[in-house]
Amino acid sequence: MDINLSTCFIAVDDHDKALAFYRDVLGFEVRNDVGFEGMRWVTVGSPEQPDVNIVLEPPLADPNASPDDRRTMAELMAKGLLRGVIFTTDDVDAAFERISGAGGEVLQEPMDQPYGVRDCAFRDPSGNMLRFNQTLKK
């Protein structure tokens, strides 16, 4: 039995700013752009992984969420306390130069980690932390 990741979700507060980052800086392709009841979901992904999708969704897109829950989610996002995803690359230093050169908000410059990867971290335009790593050679 195979179990593979197909889709993950990242909350964004401005889809156009998010697209400028995920599409134009990271090089992801836009696979879908859907509006529904005043909200918007944009699916992006790496051309190298056509079976893995990242959905950029409104914060707390649950129609049953209370106004208090929506406010709390917006506050957590504004503080940069929401988690994003970890991407792998074959050259974390080149990825760092490309993303930081495009104005990405740097959280951590490339460094070797004791758990076997070299990684760096950025915030996307909505404040989500994104990490980029490569496996260290033994």
Side-chain angles (χ1 to χ4, degrees):
M1 176 176 80
D2 290 341
I3 298 176
N4 299 301
L5 175 68
S6 67
T7 305
C8 65
F9 294 83
I10 296 177
V12 300
D13 57 1
D14 183 322
H15 282 86
D16 292 325
K17 286 183 181 177
L19 272 174
F21 181 78
Y22 286 91
R23 180 192 57 215
D24 303 338
V25 176
L26 298 186
F28 287 175
E29 58 190 18
V30 176
R31 297 179 179 158
N32 211 346
D33 192 337
V34 177
F36 181 72
E37 295 187 1
M39 292 189 278
R40 183 179 179 196
W41 288 262
V42 179
T43 303
V44 297
S46 168
E48 307 302 318
Q49 285 186 298
D51 57 340
V52 178
N53 298 296
I54 299 171
V55 179
L56 306 173
E57 67 172 356
L60 207 55
D62 185 336
N64 299 315
S66 71
D68 285 344
D69 290 341
R70 291 182 194 285
R71 185 176 47 254
T72 298
M73 184 69 154
E75 290 170 358
L76 291 172
M77 178 178 278
K79 291 179 181 178
L81 295 176
L82 299 181
R83 294 288 182 178
V85 295
I86 299 174
F87 299 98
T88 60
T89 178
D90 59 355
D91 189 340
V92 75
D93 294 285
F96 178 82
E97 291 302 320
R98 188 174 91 208
I99 298 166
S100 63
E105 181 184 347
V106 177
L107 293 177
Q108 176 204 301
E109 294 190 10
M111 62 185 295
D112 294 349
Q113 300 290 355
Y115 42 88
V117 300
R118 180 169 179 77
D119 70 355
C120 62
F122 291 88
R123 287 211 189 282
D124 76 2
S126 295
N128 300 295
M129 183 174 66
L130 307 177
R131 298 192 76 83
F132 299 84
N133 72 34
Q134 72 181 91
T135 302
L136 288 173
K137 293 184 171 109
K138 296 180 181 176

